[in-house]
Amino acid sequence: MTTTVEIKTYYNFINGVWAPSVSNEINKSLNPADKNDVIGYVQKSNEEDLNEAVQAAKQAKEAWRKLSGSERGEYLYKAAHVLEKRIDEIAKCATREMGKTLVETKGETARGIAILKYYAGEGMRKVGDVIPSTDSSALMFTTRVPLGVVGVISPWNFPIAIPIWKMAPALVYGNTIVVKPASETAVTCAKIIECFEEAGFPAGVVNMLTGPGSIVGQGIADHEDINGITFTGSNGVGKQIGQAALARGAKYQLEMGGKNPVIVAADADLELAVDAVITGAFRSTGQKCTATSRVIVSSEIYEEFRQILVKKTKEITIGDGLDSDTWMGPCASENQLNTVLSYIEKGLEEGATLLTGGKRAKKGIQANGYYVEPTIFDNCTPDMAIVQEEIFGPVIALLKAESVEEALQLGNNVEYGLSASIFTTNIQHLLSFINDMEAGLIRINSESAGVELQAPFGGMKNSSSHSREQGEAAKEFFTSIKTVFIK
Ligand code: NAP
Ligand code: MG
């Protein structure tokens, strides 16, 4: 696809001003649907830029903290209204920059708007409790204070919603922020920051800089003036950030990978289960942390389920996410494509049977992008890499179970515990699933992917650092409790 959109250079936003990095270096952001399409140029920032951003956030924090929650909320309402005006343009930019379909990026932008409004209202809700003292002449209660400067490190797979679901609560609870988006989706993030700029936040409250994770991201983890770090991304990077933060006593929150199972019991509504597995596994090209990657099916219905699943998977249309006929876009980058292809190869080497897909898709103009076919493996065993490791691509590993107990045991047999779902109409099965499944998100008769912004979100085991994001739960991370005793 050739485009007539002018190629723009995006700057860092520090202390209320858009400015280039002191490095004088830039990076190119490309369209994974067509590598000849340049979305924009972004700054390749370094430690000096980061330090400037942190100092701006530090200077702004006292005045920002002293505003009332509702005053801070007003800025979020304004940002929501600006984003609402720009929804089409920003969704289109996100599709060009990371590949998922326009339907999905529009939904994601709408989600971003709703998150901003939700947290705007949160500025007026309670921040503490009165706790009866043993001393009848005393008053004891809790209140909350912001952390100070919060570093936001976000991934590319939800380039709009994830930065916003971190920024909005950080800000409304009184923190100032330094945002470092994933390099793959830096332009989309710059556009979101433009919305915050137009909302009129005081200088230094919102700062954003782009650049390599190993320099700017690691710099955030190590910076002595950053009081809290909220991270979403891979396990390896998350653990590194957690260790750096722990070493200097900063608060941290890590949301990481998943290997999310769907259990299909013998009594399931099969059509419903197949459709949910397809959207859960293949929407966003499998690049959701809550994507379905293992499907554990009762042996009684295994053949029938497999047949419908493969038939419907073959009907999926692959293409440019801007094209309204496309159901599944490309992988977000060449790296991501290569990771997916190498897992497919590993699956074959380890003896799994390919039922459909398995290849790079490169018909016609697809050759210019990073497309891969939706892929299903059969005859998988619990120890295979495609069953144990997060692929982050459109690949399903099918497993067979004789009972729901065995399915649960297989489901729990991974290092992750983000999301899990079961399809069943049997109340005993669903109660066992709620009680015994090791996952932060328990979904029944619904796909594994999908979150509501007003509810806590996060995982167990290696999927997170065990805090939760979104909804009221965000308050736990972005504030510190003070227990007050008055005599
Ligand atoms: P990633 O490589 O870990 O990158 C995430 C962010 O960390 C990016 O901004 C990246 O910057 C930065 N970074 C890279 N190296 C760093 C370092 N040494 N120190 C500090 N920051 C560093 O992950 P990704 O490939 O963008 O995203 C995919 C992963 O995110 C998957 O594992 C997925 O499961 C996970 N994810 C989890 C959730 C959840 O809520 N649980 C949601 C979405 C995604 P650069 O882009 O510049 O490298
Ligand atoms: Mg990366």
Side-chain angles (χ1 to χ4, degrees), residues 50 204 420:
L50 173 63

PDB file of all heavy atoms in Angstrom, residues 50 204 420:
ATOM      1  N   LEU A  50      15.906  11.600  29.528  1.00  0.00           N
ATOM      2  CA  LEU A  50      15.115  11.008  30.614  1.00  0.00           C
ATOM      3  C   LEU A  50      15.255  11.855  31.870  1.00  0.00           C
ATOM      4  O   LEU A  50      14.269  12.170  32.544  1.00  0.00           O
ATOM      5  CB  LEU A  50      15.571   9.564  30.892  1.00  0.00           C
ATOM      6  CG  LEU A  50      14.925   8.917  32.116  1.00  0.00           C
ATOM      7  CD1 LEU A  50      13.416   8.780  31.952  1.00  0.00           C
ATOM      8  CD2 LEU A  50      15.538   7.544  32.402  1.00  0.00           C
ATOM      9  N   GLY A 204       4.866  19.702  32.983  1.00  0.00           N
ATOM     10  CA  GLY A 204       5.624  18.786  33.835  1.00  0.00           C
ATOM     11  C   GLY A 204       4.786  17.666  34.442  1.00  0.00           C
ATOM     12  O   GLY A 204       5.340  16.701  34.958  1.00  0.00           O
ATOM     13  N   ALA A 420      -8.286 -17.462  31.963  1.00  0.00           N
ATOM     14  CA  ALA A 420      -8.673 -18.840  31.621  1.00  0.00           C
ATOM     15  C   ALA A 420     -10.171 -18.875  31.441  1.00  0.00           C
ATOM     16  O   ALA A 420     -10.900 -18.169  32.133  1.00  0.00           O
ATOM     17  CB  ALA A 420      -8.258 -19.795  32.736  1.00  0.00           C
TER      18      ALA A 420
END
